[in-house]
Amino acid sequence: MSSLKIYNKKGFGSGMFSFVVGLALLISMLATGNWRPKSVVLCVLCLLLGAGAVTRSLSRDKAVRDLIDERDERNILVALRTKSTCFTVLRAALLVLCAACALGVAFHPVEEARLILAGVLIVTGLLWFFSFVLELICSIH
């Protein structure tokens, strides 16, 4: 009797999590009889991606290939650029939302709407400010 060896623990863990989420979704759809197309697609994707990640983590050759791909400088550069662009877009979206809320607070005729917009303005303004603080801390580190 041969035992299974896990060569990529991180891939195995994420694959099992995805597979269990897909299984839970399948069980809930069976129990409720609610077969919405989005749920079915999500269930199939979770099950397939989870099973694929688990099988890749149990194969020595594929686990070594995944490790090489993970440590490749080009892939690391792409990931860093993607995160940087995402952060920049998020900061710009927060600034636009702040400006829209400020205009709403200044010119909206309904008092309750102005109060809600003021709350959203405070939250988005704080998030925008914290993005600069976070960037400063990361650049010092």
Side-chain angles (χ1 to χ4, degrees):
M1 185 162 131
S2 66
S3 64
L4 292 175
K5 181 161 171 60
I6 300 171
Y7 294 100
N8 184 351
K9 290 182 174 85
K10 188 168 110 178
F12 183 79
S14 66
M16 283 303 292
F17 178 76
S18 179
F19 190 76
V20 168
V21 167
L23 209 58
L25 185 57
L26 179 64
I27 290 169
S28 71
M29 287 189 306
L30 287 172
T32 61
N34 189 2
W35 294 89
R36 292 181 299 183
K38 288 181 186 178
S39 298
V40 171
V41 169
L42 182 63
C43 177
V44 169
L45 280 176
C46 284
L47 288 172
L48 290 177
L49 290 175
V54 167
T55 56
R56 286 187 73 81
S57 68
L58 295 175
S59 167
R60 180 177 168 81
D61 296 333
K62 291 179 182 177
V64 168
R65 185 71 223 157
D66 289 343
L67 184 62
I68 290 171
D69 286 344
E70 183 180 324
R71 292 182 180 171
D72 185 22
E73 291 90 7
R74 293 170 294 187
N75 293 339
I76 293 171
L77 180 64
V78 168
L80 286 174
R81 282 190 177 175
T82 302
K83 288 178 184 178
S84 174
T85 303
C86 181
F87 189 68
T88 303
V89 168
L90 181 63
R91 184 184 291 161
L94 284 171
L95 183 62
V96 168
L97 191 57
C98 281
C101 287
L103 289 173
V105 168
F107 297 114
H108 203 283
V110 180
E111 180 67 27
E112 290 83 15
R114 285 198 305 259
L115 289 174
I116 292 171
L117 288 170
V120 173
L121 175 62
I122 291 169
V123 170
T124 55
L126 284 173
L127 287 173
W128 185 67
F129 173 74
F130 287 141
S131 72
F132 282 106
V133 172
L134 183 63
E135 185 179 18
L136 178 65
I137 290 170
C138 289
S139 67
I140 291 172
H141 184 273

